């Protein structure tokens, strides 16, 4: 999930910057957590942090006080649900390159579908958070099986228990995952199978490269 955002998106793209923010927050919490046990290591790491710090030393920063802004209701369940579907997908193509496939996720309208929509607003995407988690080249999110689904298609079925608000909201949802070999070529830049030919970058990479040239 992280490498594609960090290395393929434009330098100032919100998806890339948000990834850097999460990594910085995680590093800050980890370093301050082990500081009482490994003080010298914690201080050395703290001194090499490449961004501006509020204090000169790790022991002057105070104890961990993570912002409540990081707790977004439903996001944990959305990620866990997507990971469950990813495991179903990867299990169905055991030993093969996930990027050589496109994934179709079918969920009946309900809470689980709404959670997945938070990760992918478009019906089909190769750059959404949901597709990043699935580790495929392209992910399609539908509320019913597509009409052109072959009768012999390998449809993996599963269920996921959603538990929100400390158990006040509880819903067992079912899903279907279909993995199909993708018909596009490998992008020479991001290495996903989203290009029209192997010698031309995919539309996302072309846009990033064009933006980079325009800013120089």
């Amino acid at each position: 999930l992280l490498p594609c955002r960090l290395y393929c998106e434009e330098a100032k793209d919100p998806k890339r910057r948000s990834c850097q923010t999460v990594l910085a927050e995680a590093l800050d919490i980890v370093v301050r957590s082990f500081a009482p046990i490994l003080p010298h290591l914690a201080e050395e790491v703290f001194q090499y942090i490449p961004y501006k710090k509020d204090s000169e030393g790790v022991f002057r920063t105070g104890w961990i006080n993570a912002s409540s802004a990081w707790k977004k209701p439903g996001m944990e369940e959305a990620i866990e649900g997507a990971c469950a579907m990813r495991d179903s997908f990867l299990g169905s193509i055991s030993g093969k390159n996930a990027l050589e496939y496109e994934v179709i996720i079918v969920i009946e309208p309900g809470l689980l579908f709404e959670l997945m929509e938070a990760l992918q607003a478009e019906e089909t995407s190769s750059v959404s958070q949901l597709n990043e988690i699935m580790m495929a080249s392209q992910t399609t999110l539908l509320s019913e099986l597509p009409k052109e689904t072959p009768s012999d298609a390998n449809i993996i079925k599963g269920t996921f228990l959603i538990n929100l608000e400390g158990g006040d909201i509880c819903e067992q949802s079912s899903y279907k995952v279909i993995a199909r070999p993708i018909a596009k070529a490998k992008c020479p830049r991001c290495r996903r199978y989203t290009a029209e030919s192997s010698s031309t970058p995919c539309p996302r990479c072309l846009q990033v490269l064009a933006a980079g040239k325009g800013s120089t």
Side-chain angles (χ1 to χ4, degrees):
L1 177 58
L2 298 182
C4 190
R5 284 191 179 199
L6 287 174
Y7 304 130
C8 295
E9 299 293 352
E10 188 181 353
K12 295 183 179 181
D13 187 281
K15 291 193 289 292
R16 183 176 185 275
R17 296 301 301 273
S18 65
C19 177
Q20 291 176 309
T21 300
V22 170
L23 290 174
E25 183 74 8
L27 176 62
D28 179 72
I29 290 176
V30 169
V31 170
R32 288 199 280 164
S33 295
F34 68 66
I37 306 170
L38 300 168
H40 299 293
L41 176 60
E43 185 62 36
E44 183 176 4
V45 172
F46 188 82
Q47 294 302 324
Y48 277 93
I49 288 177
Y51 49 83
K52 185 178 180 180
K53 303 177 286 289
D54 296 330
S55 179
E56 296 180 358
V58 68
F59 290 100
R60 296 183 179 181
T61 61
W63 190 236
I64 301 166
N65 185 22
S67 171
S68 59
W70 291 101
K71 182 62 177 177
K72 187 174 181 180
M75 187 53 63
E76 181 179 351
E77 289 73 17
I79 298 297
E80 289 178 351
C83 288
M85 297 174 200
R86 178 194 62 196
D87 292 344
S88 297
F89 160 55
L90 295 178
S92 71
I93 61 162
S94 180
K96 298 179 181 178
N97 183 2
L99 289 175
E100 295 179 357
Y101 289 82
E102 63 173 323
V103 175
I104 300 174
I105 299 174
V106 182
I107 308 171
E108 292 184 359
L111 186 54
L112 182 58
F113 187 86
E114 293 175 5
L115 291 175
M116 292 305 105
E117 281 188 314
L119 300 176
Q120 179 170 302
E122 310 89 350
E123 183 176 285
T124 300
S125 178
S126 61
V127 297
S128 68
Q129 294 182 70
L130 179 58
N131 187 66
E132 296 279 3
I133 294 171
M134 296 303 294
M135 300 171 62
S137 278
Q138 179 176 287
T139 297
T140 298
L141 179 62
L142 301 172
S143 58
E144 58 182 15
L145 281 173
K147 295 180 181 179
E148 67 273 13
T149 303
S151 58
D152 60 345
N154 182 21
I155 302 177
I156 306 99
K157 300 180 180 180
T159 59
F160 182 73
L161 177 63
I162 301 170
N163 197 332
L164 294 171
E165 304 296 334
D168 291 339
I169 301 176
C170 192
E171 182 177 300
Q172 181 89 13
S173 300
S174 60
Y175 62 84
K176 300 181 181 72
V177 176
I178 305 172
R180 302 192 304 199
I182 197 161
K184 295 185 178 181
K186 181 192 286 188
C187 172
R189 182 174 180 270
C190 70
R191 319 302 289 176
R192 290 188 174 185
Y193 290 78
T194 51
E196 296 303 321
S197 73
S198 59
S199 60
T200 306
C202 67
R204 186 270 300 272
C205 287
L206 285 173
Q207 183 178 354
V208 172
L209 291 170
K213 290 180 181 179
S215 61
T216 58

